[in-house]
């Protein structure tokens, strides 16, 4: 984003907020009153905000990230001061003047951009680089882990066989304890992916009236994954990569971007959605993108905690000229972000498809990866049909020929009513996840993007 060019909209700024409290607090600081020494240059903003103490808080924002730095003690990221400064800048082009940054802002910006330009294998700061790992030792460790996971998969197969012999109707008698014990054994086998699937089986058993049928489906998928791993040497390379990732074997982002077989794809990537999910002390940020030239979907995942804030923030509606490298798989989606070739800038309303094409896209993805929960799609010219007696919420094509139920997980959320209010009965463009539960809306364009 270039401060001398197009500015962010208020919705794009507020999409960065970690929670509703931060959005409200940032809005109160979106006026010149508490600010002094504000400025902008070369894709950066800075200013000093008066607080409760004797010294003002120093806030600086690198719009090319975006990235944030503030001297306040808040652990939220971005803090209310960064949000307030962005809102002040986006709302009035005269509120923040163009001039050179002060020393305190310039030093941080220079250091950050130098680090961003450093090769992935270069040491940070002045610390000595570690000696390269022993390839033979790494290979031995990898082989031992594969053996442990194989043993865990065989044990899990026996557990599933015992369950089928005793009958699925008996699965609820032992409660969740037996499933939790099996999941713990998969963790011991260094197969966290298998452990997660086992916990899912435990949550399905005795939950709802049709739980035996759903339990059978989940058992079949887990059996398929077990057999896929035990016969992984015979699988095509893309499917083998999918199986490895499903059981919990990971690929490092640096290997995708700089390794001998790295093949990053440069495109103008439109940011379709940014969603944060908090699970205890861990925050997971999911950023969906789509290539303007390639049409490829991509999902960037990042993780943060109390002492590790989420650095990458890309509100929907921006376009990023950058290199992306997809993780290997039969239906690649997750990607690592590489070099950026230009600052992010506002993008157009994305082109979309109808209901039938969205279902076909999910079906094609499911054919390649049977364990997929959903697939990202952009729906164009769809209307919102609120729920009524005996029927749930739906999205329908304007011709009324096809409709798609909304995912029950979004029912009761404020974003659902926000979607209905924005639509007002008229066709809209909506991005979300199309899966076996229905469609989970994440962003709607009005015509600027609004996160749901």
């Amino acid at each position: 984003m270039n401060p001398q060019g197009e500015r962010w909209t208020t919705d794009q700024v507020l999409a960065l907020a970690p929670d509703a409290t931060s959005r409200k607090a940032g809005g109160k600081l979106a006026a010149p009153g508490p600010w002094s020494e504000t400025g902008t240059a070369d894709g950066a903003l800075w200013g000093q905000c008066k607080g409760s103490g004797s010294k003002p808080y120093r806030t600086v924002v690198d719009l090319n990230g975006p990235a944030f730095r503030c001297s306040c003690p808040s652990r939220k990221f971005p803090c209310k001061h960064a949000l307030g400064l962005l809102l002040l800048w986006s709302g009035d082009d005269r509120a923040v003047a163009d001039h050179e940054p002060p020393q305190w802002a310039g030093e941080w910006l220079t250091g950050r951009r130098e680090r961003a330009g450093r090769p992935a294998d270069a040491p940070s700061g002045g610390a000595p680089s570690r000696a390269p790992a022993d390839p033979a030792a790494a290979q031995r460790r990898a082989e031992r882990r594969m053996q442990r996971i194989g043993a865990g998969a065989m044990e899990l197969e026996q557990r599933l066989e015992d369950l089928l012999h005793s009958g699925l109707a008996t699965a609820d008698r032992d409660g969740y304890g037996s499933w939790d014990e099996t999941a713990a054994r998969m963790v011991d086998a260094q197969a966290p992916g298998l452990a997660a699937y086992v916990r899912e089986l435990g949550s399905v058993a005795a939950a709802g009236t049709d739980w035996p049928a759903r339990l059978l489906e989940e058992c079949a998928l887990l059996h398929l994954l077990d057999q896929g791993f035990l016969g992984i040497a015979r699988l095509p390379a893309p499917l083998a990569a999918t199986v490895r990732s499903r059981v919990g074997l990971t690929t490092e982002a640096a290997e995708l971007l700089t390794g001998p077989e790295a093949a990053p794809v440069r495109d103008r990537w439109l940011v379709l959605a940014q969603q944060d999910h908090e699970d205890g002390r861990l925050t997971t940020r999911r950023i969906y993108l789509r290539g303007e030239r390639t049409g490829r979907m991509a999902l960037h995942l990042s993780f943060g905690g109390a002492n590790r804030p989420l650095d990458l923030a890309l509100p929907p509606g921006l376009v990023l000229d950058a290199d992306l490298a997809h993780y290997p798989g039969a239906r690649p989606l997750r990607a690592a972000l590489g070099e950026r070739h230009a600052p992010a800038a506002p993008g157009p309303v994305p082109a979309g498809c109808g209901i039938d094409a969205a279902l076909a896209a999910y079906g094609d993805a499911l054919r390649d990866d049977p364990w997929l929960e959903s697939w990202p799609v952009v729906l164009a010219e769809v209307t919102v049909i609120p729920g009524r007696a005996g029927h749930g919420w739906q999205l329908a094509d304007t011709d009324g020929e096809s409709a798609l139920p909304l995912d029950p997980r979004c029912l009761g959320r404020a974003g659902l009513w926000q979607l209905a209010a924005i639509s007002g009965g008229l066709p809209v463009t909506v991005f979300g996840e199309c899966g076996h539960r229905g469609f989970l809306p994440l962003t709607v364009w009005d015509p600027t993007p609004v996160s749901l």
Side-chain angles (χ1 to χ4, degrees):
M1 178 69 66
N2 185 348
Q4 286 75 26
E6 296 183 81
R7 296 171 181 266
W8 293 0
T9 66
T10 299
D11 287 334
Q12 288 171 334
V13 174
L14 295 178
L16 299 171
D19 51 41
T21 302
S22 297
R23 285 192 288 271
K24 183 177 180 180
K28 293 180 179 179
L29 297 175
W35 291 97
S36 62
E37 298 187 26
T38 58
T40 176
D42 298 328
L45 301 172
W46 59 85
Q48 298 192 101
C49 187
K50 183 180 180 180
S52 57
S54 58
K55 294 183 178 180
Y57 296 122
R58 291 177 168 179
T59 306
V60 56
V61 179
D62 184 354
L63 297 166
N64 296 332
F68 317 92
R69 175 72 177 271
C70 187
S71 60
C72 75
S74 174
R75 291 187 175 183
K76 295 183 178 181
F77 195 80
C79 67
K80 64 181 181 180
H81 305 101
L83 291 170
L85 181 59
L86 281 167
L87 289 169
L88 176 66
W89 166 74
S90 66
D92 185 353
D93 59 2
R94 299 166 297 178
V96 182
D98 297 343
H99 59 79
E100 290 299 311
Q103 182 179 0
W104 57 269
E107 289 178 350
W108 179 78
L109 289 166
T110 300
R112 169 178 160 75
R113 291 173 181 179
E114 286 178 351
R115 290 191 298 273
R118 182 186 299 124
D121 57 350
S124 59
S129 59
R130 295 182 298 175
D134 181 358
Q139 179 65 25
R140 289 193 296 270
R141 288 194 296 270
E143 291 175 352
R144 287 196 295 269
R145 184 176 182 187
M146 292 289 284
Q147 292 171 358
R148 282 193 287 269
I149 296 176
M154 293 181 66
E155 180 181 347
L156 185 54
E157 282 292 277
Q158 185 61 54
R159 173 79 169 86
L160 294 175
E161 184 177 343
D162 293 343
L163 175 63
L164 292 177
H165 284 165
S166 59
L168 290 177
T170 65
D172 62 329
R173 295 179 182 175
D174 297 332
Y176 191 80
S178 62
W179 295 108
D180 198 34
E181 179 183 353
T182 303
R185 295 184 67 82
M186 295 303 104
V187 172
D188 293 340
Q190 294 185 292
L194 293 180
Y197 281 108
V198 171
R199 294 190 186 97
E200 181 68 20
L201 293 181
S203 65
V204 169
T209 56
D210 61 340
W211 69 263
R214 290 187 291 115
L215 182 61
L216 180 60
E217 294 173 356
E218 296 298 329
C219 285
L221 285 172
L222 185 52
H223 169 68
L224 182 64
L225 182 57
D226 276 340
Q227 291 299 313
F229 185 81
L230 294 173
I232 198 167
R234 301 188 299 273
L235 297 180
L239 182 57
T242 294
V243 170
R244 281 194 294 269
S245 68
R246 292 296 181 184
V247 301
L249 292 167
T250 59
T251 302
E252 295 296 331
E255 181 180 342
L256 297 174
L257 295 167
T258 62
E261 299 181 358
V265 176
R266 180 178 177 179
D267 204 340
R268 283 169 47 85
W269 300 92
L270 175 63
V271 182
L272 297 172
Q274 175 180 286
Q275 295 284 317
D276 290 354
H277 174 71
E278 293 186 4
D279 184 8
R281 301 178 63 182
L282 178 69
T283 300
T284 302
R285 174 165 291 168
R286 301 165 65 88
I287 300 177
Y288 281 104
L289 309 103
R290 187 175 68 181
E292 183 180 88
R293 174 179 57 84
T294 61
R296 296 186 67 176
M297 287 288 187
L299 170 63
H300 182 279
L301 290 178
S302 57
F303 305 93
N307 298 315
R308 187 181 61 179
L310 289 158
D311 187 42
L312 181 64
L314 292 173
L318 295 182
V319 170
L320 194 65
D321 183 358
D323 296 336
L324 251 65
H326 281 78
Y327 285 73
R331 179 54 67 117
L333 180 60
R334 187 182 175 188
L337 179 62
E339 181 181 358
R340 304 189 193 187
H341 302 283
V349 177
C353 64
I355 300 294
D356 292 342
L359 291 172
Y362 173 54
D364 289 342
L366 198 62
R367 178 189 58 204
D368 294 333
D369 183 353
W371 305 280
L372 269 179
E373 288 280 326
S374 59
W375 187 254
V377 295
V378 178
L379 296 176
E381 295 292 307
V382 291
T383 56
V384 182
I385 303 177
R388 56 189 185 276
H391 299 279
W393 287 67
Q394 295 179 325
L395 292 176
D397 287 332
T398 52
D399 59 11
E401 293 294 325
S402 300
L404 186 61
L406 292 186
D407 191 319
R409 290 176 297 175
C410 70
L411 300 180
R413 295 182 182 177
L416 189 60
W417 292 102
Q418 187 179 16
L419 173 63
I422 291 173
S423 169
L426 299 176
V428 290
T429 296
V430 185
F431 168 76
E433 301 172 350
C434 182
H436 65 90
R437 297 185 182 93
F439 186 82
L440 182 66
L442 301 177
T443 308
V444 59
W445 277 259
D446 182 38
T448 58
V450 179
S451 296
L452 300 173

